[in-house]
């Protein structure tokens, strides 16, 4: 038997209590021990920062973000690339200094890398503080590259009562501004990277690792029962629209837009668990030896990557501990279904995708016993059904013609985001063309109109912006504030769908924005006369799901209370926007009635037309 | 009294507590925190009552003086016809729906019926006007029954607390203009005065008058007066104009009421509540109709803190009892338990305040001292009567009782009375305003609901601040304890940090669902008030 050291090395990134590799400091060491190259991810940021440091006027950089976002990793890569040599920055060195004009450095300025500002003790911080402050306010030419999470960064300035810098950084953090308005430093929030590109990079880094060549000559590769690690590797390597990777990218992007950010550390952990997860009791991750045993004994059910993605090889406590599994489990994949999928799984359906290892092979026995005696085998069968539904979720292309022809075939029906593919399509359209498909736009407007007026209307050509009355424990009869339509409809208020693009709000020259910063797109309401200070409603995936379900018919009450609040807030903002925009000539509120599904407005008769308030 | 009195204590106006209508059986709580708070007056009615006073006498128009308590009457308009149309008329809906009546006859058909119904209510009373009581609507609505129906329907939708089916003279509208103010009224049933209205103290128990006096004695009275007029008593508000249209301009009947008694001239609590009101009213991106709810919630919180501070001063302690608020919805049972203990401490403290107050007042009374020296029950009885105007229940304090027995019995009376008893008032106050929640077999504990969180943000955040600063501010201002830092300070170090950390996390999760926080990383979250320009 042969063992590949890469497997052991990757396992150290996985969900185990001894996973020291979750910390950059230990990666280098572990890689050496396993005689493997460390995981490498292509990161444009490193290049950008090195160039900036090599320029005539280098600036200080603050790398901030959630733990595990790769702050230290990036700083180390920058230091290495800058000096053109590896292993310059010792693992335990908290501050790494490049004196001006030192070997390899082209800069005439002193550059200091701080691995983690919060690791310094108070005395060290106080000692460094004047120099950092001078650098960040442009009073010295010293350059710092500081890794620190934002809370600690603010505390660092607050404790030293430097309000100007503190307040400036607060604004930059909130607005996602990268450049200090005075041009003295950069503030890079590592949590705001395009998530779907990251997962791609990370999966590539794992599945294309040179170390897989070591498997060459292993008998398990030739066996008709293929090594499950290699099965899973093949599944992860696929990168078409019907692949697991494509679905993962969508899920991660949707979660990011819903405000659930996954750090690089979590994404690596997830990838490793999909690849190596082992649900056999007493085991968490596969080793080469275990993998060969599973193959020999035909126990592929234990190594199912579609189940591993949700952490089924872990116990409940562990699953909750790791953000990646908590996040993916919120999609409830496998616990939602419809007749098309369940009937197909139970009685066979050629249209459903197959899998040589994780389909029939692990499913047929429990299905056959269930068919024989449903009462006795229901529980075990249901459990297996969940895994099969998960496999289908990860292997059907939601954009294929067959799916488009029949919405029941859409894999998102197997999750709580039944309209997940509409969300993804909406964002992709916005990224590519700057607008969204009109069928989705209409459904969203209909859902919004239904929520705002409380009527099951079919009106979807424009928004009926109403204001809730706010009467304490009263009957809620909303009044119409104003309509908002598309630019061509001639309304005084204009409604449009846009990407949230905080990086360049000024470069609004008709060009579709192309960056995907992980934030949800927006419905934006502006006045025709004045495009200033628009009202925006972030279209988080959960809200989109809620609106589209309401547009379709109904939805479970549990879904709506949070979304309801967001809509109310949007309504209030629009109401006050109208009041401020039309100052002096605010249109009177009107009653809204529904006749045969269509909304109608009725002026309040007692107040003559043209009156304002 | 209290050695380092925080402020001047004003004498109650001589007539006020004695007048028959006031129904004051003793003066204890009245002198501690004012006259008075009753359980039936729900927190939202307190703000309605305060606004009713404001509508007649804007804040700042009566100057508080150090020499004497304010003595003024204010006017409570009846708005009887409008309220009749909204809450009593049975015919409008019927006539509008009735297909057997031709459209052009509907107006007069309805008028006949409504005049008859309105007339029944007040036989022998002002009969002249009852004959065609609603004639004033003819012009205003051009005899168009549909537009009248629309106006009535719209105004009916402004009724507060619709699930409580109160009598029609105690149904209230949300206030966004002066003509929408409906106050609690009683209709006489006796023959001679049948149908006449007088103010009822059941739901409008004077809590709002005390709030008015607090605001009026704060340093912000005039500024606040302007803001209230601009945002809540604006005659041009659309709903107010509908109310005007439904009101008879000739119907000016009203009742007068003297204002209640608030003992202290100046207290930090008055400025605190005024600041909170001002902050909420200045949320200029929040439409007027939405100001009321946060306003009454923050008012309740301020009253709770005021009462705790008054108790603290009477008892002579350094700090008021903190409000340990559970944000985990009872999920953390230990936190819930601590929170419950603190709610009970607030109630016990109210009783202790009564005891300290009574003992101190008698200790300074010459007659009482003499009674004690001589062991004279008669003298003791006189002393108690003199100090607290307490005359009732002579059986329990028979002449045979010793002064100490009488004292004990009197304190017992004071802490178990029905009206203006803070021990009994705190639970309904806290529960009705979203400060506390209760569950069978567990009891009641401090837990902030979404509405209260929203009010706290409106009143305390104008520029975006860090979550930890927000929590620190809530402690500094109201002694609300949420996170570990505050718990350590308030509970003198004996805390289990993890409960309060869980509490803080729960607060953030709740606020995120309310879209009031923005989290940047695992270590930093901001609280924003989306409804101010300051943001």
């Amino acid at each position: 038997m042969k063992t590949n050291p890469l497997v052991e090395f990757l396992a150290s990134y996985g969900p185990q209590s001894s996973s020291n590799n979750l910390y950059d400091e230990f990666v280098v060491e572990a890689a050496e021990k396993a005689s493997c190259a460390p995981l490498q991810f292509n990161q444009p940021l490193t290049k950008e920062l090195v160039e900036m440091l090599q320029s005539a006027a280098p600036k200080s950089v603050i790398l901030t973000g959630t733990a595990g976002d790769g702050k230290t990793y990036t700083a180390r890569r920058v230091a290495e690339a800058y000096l053109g040599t590896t292993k310059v920055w010792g693992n335990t060195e908290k501050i790494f200094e490049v004196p001006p004009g030192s070997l390899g450095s082209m800069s005439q300025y002193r550059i200091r890398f701080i691995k983690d500002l919060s690791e310094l003790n108070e005395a060290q911080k106080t000692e460094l503080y004047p120099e950092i402050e001078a650098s960040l306010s442009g009073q010295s030419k010293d350059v710092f590259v500081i890794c620190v999470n934002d809370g600690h960064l603010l505390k660092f300035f607050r404790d030293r009562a430097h309000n100007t810098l503190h307040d400036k950084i607060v604004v930059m953090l909130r607005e996602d501004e990268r450049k200090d308005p005075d041009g003295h430093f950069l503030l890079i929030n590592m949590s705001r990277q395009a998530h779907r590109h990251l997962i791609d990079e990370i999966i590539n880094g794992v599945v294309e690792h040179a170390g897989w060549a070591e498997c060459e000559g292993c008998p398990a590769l030739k066996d008709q029962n293929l090594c499950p690690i290699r099965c899973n590797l093949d599944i992860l390597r696929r990168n078409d629209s019907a692949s697991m990777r494509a679905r993962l990218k969508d899920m991660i992007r949707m979660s990011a837009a819903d405000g659930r950010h996954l750090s690089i550390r979590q994404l690596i952990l997830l990838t490793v668990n999909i690849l190596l997860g082992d649900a056999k009791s007493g085991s968490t991750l596969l080793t080469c030896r275990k993998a060969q045993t599973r193959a020999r004994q035909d126990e592929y059910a234990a190594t199912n990557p579609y189940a591993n993605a949700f952490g089924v090889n872990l116990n409940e406590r562990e699953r909750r501990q790791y953000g990646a599994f908590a996040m993916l489990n919120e999609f409830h994949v496998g616990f939602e279904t419809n007749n098309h999928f369940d009937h197909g799984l139970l009685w066979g359906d050629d249209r459903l995708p197959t899998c040589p290892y994780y389909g029939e092979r692990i499913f047929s026995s429990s299905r056959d016993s269930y068919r024989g005696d449903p009462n006795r085998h229901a529980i075990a069968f249901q459990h297996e059904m969940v895994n099969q539904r998960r496999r289908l979720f990860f292997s059907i292309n939601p954009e294929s013609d067959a799916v488009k022809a029949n919405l029941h075939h859409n894999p998102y029906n197997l999750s709580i985001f039944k309209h997940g593919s509409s969300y993804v399509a909406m964002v992709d359209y916005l990224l590519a063309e700057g607008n969204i498909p009109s069928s989705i736009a209409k459904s969203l407007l209909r859902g919004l109109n239904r929520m705002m007026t409380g009527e099951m209307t079919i009106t979807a050509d424009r928004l009926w912006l109403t204001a809730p009355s706010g009467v304490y424990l009263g009957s809620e009869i909303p009044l119409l504030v104003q309509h908002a339509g598309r630019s061509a409809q001639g309304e005084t208020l204009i409604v449009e769908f846009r990407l949230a693009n905080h990086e360049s709000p000024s470069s609004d020259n008709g060009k579709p924005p192309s960056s995907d910063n992980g934030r949800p797109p927006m419905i934006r309401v502006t006045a025709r006369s004045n495009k200033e200070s628009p009202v925006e409603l972030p279209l988080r995936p959960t809200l989109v799901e809620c609106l589209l379900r309401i547009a379709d018919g109904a939805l479970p009450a549990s879904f709506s209370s949070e979304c309801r609040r967001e809509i109310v807030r949007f309504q209030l903002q629009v109401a006050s926007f109208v009041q401020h925009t039309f100052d002096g000539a605010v249109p009177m509120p009107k009653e809204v009635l529904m006749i045969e599904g269509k909304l109608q407005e009725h002026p309040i008769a007692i107040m003559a037309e043209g009156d304002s308030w | 009294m209290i050695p380092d009195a925080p402020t001047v204590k004003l004498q109650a106006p001589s007539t006020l507590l004695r007048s028959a209508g006031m129904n004051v059986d003793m003066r204890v709580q009245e002198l501690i925190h004012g006259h008075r708070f009753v359980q039936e007056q729900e927190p939202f009615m307190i703000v309605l009552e305060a606004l009713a006073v404001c509508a007649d006498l804007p804040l700042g128009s009566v100057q508080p003086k150090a020499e004497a308590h304010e003595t003024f009457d204010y006017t409570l308009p009846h708005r009887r016809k409008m309220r009749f149309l909204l809450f009593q008329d049975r015919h409008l809906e019927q006539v509008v729906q009735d297909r057997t009546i031709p459209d052009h006859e509907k107006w007069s058909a309805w008028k006949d019926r409504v005049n008859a119904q309105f007339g029944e209510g007040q036989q022998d009373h002002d009969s002249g006007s009852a004959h065609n009581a609603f004639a004033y609507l003819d012009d205003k609505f051009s005899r168009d029954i549909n537009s009248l129906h629309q106006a009535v329907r719209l105004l009916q939708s402004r009724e507060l607390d619709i699930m409580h089916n109160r009598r029609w003279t105690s149904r209230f509208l949300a206030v966004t203009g002066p003509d929408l103010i409906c106050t609690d009224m009683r209709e006489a049933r006796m023959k001679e005065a049948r149908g006449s209205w007088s103010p009822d103290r059941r739901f409008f128990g004077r809590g709002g008058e005390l709030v008015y006096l607090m605001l009026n004695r704060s340093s912000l009275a005039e500024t606040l007066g302007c803001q209230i007029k601009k945002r809540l008593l604006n005659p041009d508000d659309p709903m107010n104009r509908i109310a005007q249209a439904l009101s008879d301009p000739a119907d000016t009947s009203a009742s007068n009421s003297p204002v209640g008694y608030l003992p202290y001239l100046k207290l930090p609590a008055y400025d605190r509540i005024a600041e909170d009101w001002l902050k909420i009213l200045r949320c200029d991106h929040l439409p007027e109709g939405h100001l009321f709810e946060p306003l009454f919630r923050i008012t309740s919180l301020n009253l709770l803190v005021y009462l705790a501070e008054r108790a603290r001063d009477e008892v002579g302690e350094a700090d008021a009892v903190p409000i340990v608020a559970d944000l985990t919805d009872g999920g953390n049972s230990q936190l819930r338990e601590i929170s419950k203990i603190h709610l009970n401490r607030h109630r016990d403290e109210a009783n202790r305040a009564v005891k300290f107050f009574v003992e101190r007042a008698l200790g300074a009374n010459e007659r009482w001292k003499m009674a004690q020296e001589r062991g004279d029950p008669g003298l003791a009885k006189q002393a108690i009567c003199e100090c607290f105007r307490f005359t009732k229940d002579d059986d329990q304090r028979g002449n045979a009782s010793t002064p100490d027995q009488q004292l004990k019995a009197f304190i017992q009376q004071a802490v178990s009375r029905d009206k203006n008893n803070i021990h009994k008032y705190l639970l309904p106050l806290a529960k009705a305003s979203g400060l506390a929640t209760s569950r069978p077999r567990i009891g009641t504990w401090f837990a902030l609901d979404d509405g209260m969180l929203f009010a706290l943000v409106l009143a305390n955040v104008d520029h975006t601040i860090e979550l930890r600063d927000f929590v620190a501010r809530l402690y500094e201002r109201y002694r609300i304890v949420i996170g570990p830092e505050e718990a350590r300070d308030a509970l003198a170090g004996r805390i289990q940090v993890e409960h309060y950390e869980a509490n803080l996390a729960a607060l953030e999760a709740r606020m995120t669902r309310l879209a009031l926080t923005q989290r940047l990383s695992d270590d930093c979250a901001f609280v924003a008030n989306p409804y101010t320009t300051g943001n």
Side-chain angles (χ1 to χ4, degrees), chain B residues 10-39:
Chain B
L10 303 162
Q11 288 294 317
S14 55
T15 53
L16 185 68
L17 298 183
R18 210 176 289 155
S19 66
M22 297 298 236
N23 195 18
V24 179
D25 54 357
M26 65 171 81
R27 294 189 183 180
V28 178
Q29 283 91 344
E30 285 71 14
L31 303 180
I32 298 176
H33 57 252
H35 178 72
R36 75 190 167 199
F37 294 107
V38 294
Q39 293 184 38

Side-chain angles (χ1 to χ4, degrees), chain A residues 112-418:
Chain A
R112 271 170 285 181
F113 293 83
I114 300 177
K115 193 178 79 177
D116 187 346
L117 190 63
S118 56
E119 276 186 15
L120 304 183
N121 62 35
E122 282 307 308
Q124 288 171 309
K125 281 191 244 179
T126 307
E127 192 190 322
L128 268 178
Y129 176 72
E131 297 184 63
I132 293 179
E133 192 225 313
S135 167
L136 297 187
S137 34
Q139 288 153 14
S140 90
K141 298 277 183 198
D142 277 10
V143 174
F144 286 91
V145 177
I146 303 170
C147 305
V148 61
N149 73 21
D150 35 23
H152 202 96
L153 176 67
L154 293 177
K155 186 172 184 304
F156 178 69
F157 290 107
R158 192 172 49 232
D159 287 353
R160 288 160 186 84
H162 199 295
N163 291 331
T164 334
L165 271 174
H166 177 271
D167 294 351
K168 190 190 259 185
I169 291 173
V170 166
V171 173
M172 291 172 72
L173 284 171
R174 283 182 41 228
E175 305 293 326
D176 275 347
E177 294 288 347
R178 224 165 171 235
K179 293 194 177 94
D180 149 46
D182 301 318
H184 300 309
F185 64 96
L186 295 178
L187 177 69
I188 294 169
N189 186 349
M190 304 287 290
S191 305
R192 288 275 176 266
Q193 303 167 73
H195 294 72
R196 60 196 180 115
H197 298 308
L198 265 179
I199 182 74
D200 227 5
E201 283 293 333
I202 286 163
I203 295 178
N204 274 337
V206 171
V207 301
E208 305 304 338
H209 195 284
W212 290 116
E214 291 280 317
C215 286
E216 212 56 48
C218 177
L221 267 182
K222 299 261 159 46
D223 203 314
Q224 89 184 69
N225 279 4
L226 181 65
C227 165
I229 298 179
R230 299 297 302 205
C231 295
N232 296 355
L233 191 63
D234 290 342
I235 288 171
L236 268 182
R237 271 188 179 148
R238 282 184 57 187
N239 198 4
D240 52 274
S241 351
S243 67
M244 183 175 197
R245 197 196 289 209
R247 216 52 354 88
L248 278 175
K249 279 199 263 187
D250 290 345
M251 290 169 92
I252 285 164
R253 165 206 245 183
M254 286 167 71
S255 284
D258 248 335
R260 285 185 297 273
H261 164 75
L262 275 194
S263 64
I264 294 185
R265 196 180 283 172
Q266 288 293 327
L267 292 174
I268 299 176
L269 185 141
L270 173 66
T271 309
V272 167
N273 199 60
I274 292 174
L275 191 63
L276 301 180
D278 181 19
K280 191 95 173 160
S281 71
S283 167
T284 306
L285 294 179
L286 290 172
T287 59
C288 283
R289 176 191 290 273
K290 285 188 200 167
Q292 283 155 37
T293 314
R294 302 286 175 272
R296 210 163 40 239
Q297 300 179 347
D298 200 7
E299 290 175 320
Y300 289 96
T303 67
N304 186 349
Y306 305 112
N308 289 340
F310 301 96
V312 293
N313 56 324
L314 307 173
N315 65 35
E316 182 62 36
R317 193 182 53 80
E318 291 166 323
R319 260 197 300 278
R320 258 184 288 141
Q321 179 187 347
Y322 301 110
F325 305 116
M327 185 203 93
L328 291 186
N329 276 304
E330 284 187 22
F331 285 76
H332 289 259
V333 177
F335 298 104
E336 303 277 328
T337 187
N338 64 20
N339 284 343
H340 165 70
F341 293 111
D342 279 12
H343 191 274
L345 285 170
L346 186 55
W347 304 107
D349 183 340
D350 291 345
R351 293 168 297 181
L352 296 181
T354 56
C355 173
Y357 294 96
Y358 300 110
E360 279 295 291
R361 192 166 186 149
I362 60 172
F363 183 54
S364 58
S365 73
S366 69
R367 183 194 55 210
D368 295 343
S369 4
Y370 175 77
R371 282 201 214 162
D373 184 352
N375 287 334
R376 247 181 79 202
H377 300 287
I379 292 174
F381 173 71
Q382 274 166 10
H383 180 78
E384 288 310 313
M385 277 295 270
V386 169
N387 286 333
Q388 288 306 310
R389 292 181 198 134
R390 285 174 165 169
R391 176 177 68 79
L392 296 181
F393 176 78
F394 280 117
S395 35
I396 295 173
N397 175 9
E399 294 304 312
S400 66
D401 293 339
V403 168
K404 282 188 166 163
N406 186 341
L407 291 177
H408 294 300
H409 297 190
N410 192 310
Y412 280 97
N413 285 309
L414 297 164
S415 77
I416 55 165
F417 287 93
K418 304 230 176 290

Side-chain angles (χ1 to χ4, degrees), chain B residues 61-73:
Chain B
S61 53
V62 176
Q63 290 295 325
K65 297 192 199 84
E67 308 84 66
H69 192 275
E70 300 89 334
T71 45
F72 61 83
D73 282 11

